[in-house]
Amino acid sequence: MEYVTAVPHPRTDAAESAEPAASSPNGRRSLAVALLCGAAGAAIALLASRQEWCSGVAAVAGGKLPLTAKGSDVTGVPAALAIVGLAALVAVFAVRKVGRVLVALLLALSGAGAVAAAVLGAGDSAALDEKAAQAAGDASATIHALSNTAWPYVSAVGGALILIAGILAVIYGAAWPSMGGRYERSGAPRTRRAKAVDPDRPEELWKALDRGEDPTGA
């Protein structure tokens, strides 16, 4: 007959190494910095897309018409990638292993794409040229005296923060916790509550032993 005991087996080194390592100093710091950079970067990029990026003057019948263009008029890429990056930052905690690396790479690429789109949009006059053509009623009309604000570069800063969050996720993401882990907040494995056993019924005693419980209540 196999020996049955209610005493839990000692944990092996392999089991201990499988636990989330987010309690390490590097894990905690990288997680905090990545969350801060990702959230702040997305907010900055979205805010910048609603601001004035450039202005100019269009020649129309009877004079000149000043025109302005917001970031969303120039390019919607930084704002779109900011939303993708924010979603990827949240999704990092829902996946593990290879999936986490892929999501972290998506986060980093979103930040890099937002930076590139914002920098390229800083000198783009296509949005103002389109407005000038509509105002003048002439498809060949263009904008004059083009000037740019600092908001495209603010948007690029937001993308850079998302990129930093992605790089941290790639390097340290394996040490971050996952949603629905098998460990409680205290880090201890979950235990089942032992059921009450009737000592007058031997079959219940055997079932308790099979579950790894102590039927004596000791």
Side-chain angles (χ1 to χ4, degrees):
M1 179 178 175
E2 184 179 356
Y3 176 71
V4 181
T5 177
V7 179
H9 295 286
R11 302 177 63 185
T12 62
D13 294 338
E16 291 178 355
S17 62
E19 292 186 17
S23 59
S24 64
N26 287 338
R28 290 195 301 268
R29 283 195 294 266
S30 62
L31 175 58
V33 173
L35 289 174
L36 179 62
C37 288
I44 291 172
L46 290 173
L47 174 65
S49 68
R50 299 187 178 96
Q51 308 304 316
E52 180 183 319
W53 279 28
C54 55
S55 61
V57 178
V60 295
K64 297 180 179 179
L65 177 65
L67 297 173
T68 61
K70 295 181 180 180
S72 56
D73 299 327
V74 176
T75 174
V77 175
L81 289 179
I83 295 175
V84 172
L86 192 60
L89 181 62
V90 176
V92 164
F93 302 98
V95 293
R96 298 180 182 179
K97 297 181 180 179
V98 178
R100 177 166 291 188
V101 175
L102 294 177
V103 174
L105 288 174
L106 176 61
L107 176 60
L109 290 175
S110 298
V115 172
V119 172
L120 291 175
D124 190 357
S125 63
L128 285 178
D129 287 339
E130 183 178 352
K131 289 188 176 184
Q134 293 176 354
D138 183 2
S140 61
T142 57
I143 201 74
H144 302 282
L146 178 66
S147 62
N148 299 98
T149 66
W151 283 107
Y153 303 102
V154 173
S155 180
V157 171
L161 290 175
I162 297 175
L163 174 60
I164 292 173
I167 294 174
L168 290 175
V170 171
I171 298 175
Y172 300 104
W176 296 352
S178 299
M179 295 180 181
R182 52 189 286 245
Y183 294 93
E184 299 284 358
R185 293 181 181 178
S186 61
R190 297 181 179 179
T191 58
R192 294 186 301 176
R193 182 179 297 178
K195 297 181 179 179
V197 178
D198 186 356
D200 296 330
R201 302 184 63 181
E203 65 275 10
E204 292 191 7
L205 295 176
W206 285 110
K207 290 180 180 179
L209 290 173
D210 289 338
R211 294 193 300 267
E213 299 173 359
D214 183 4
T216 63

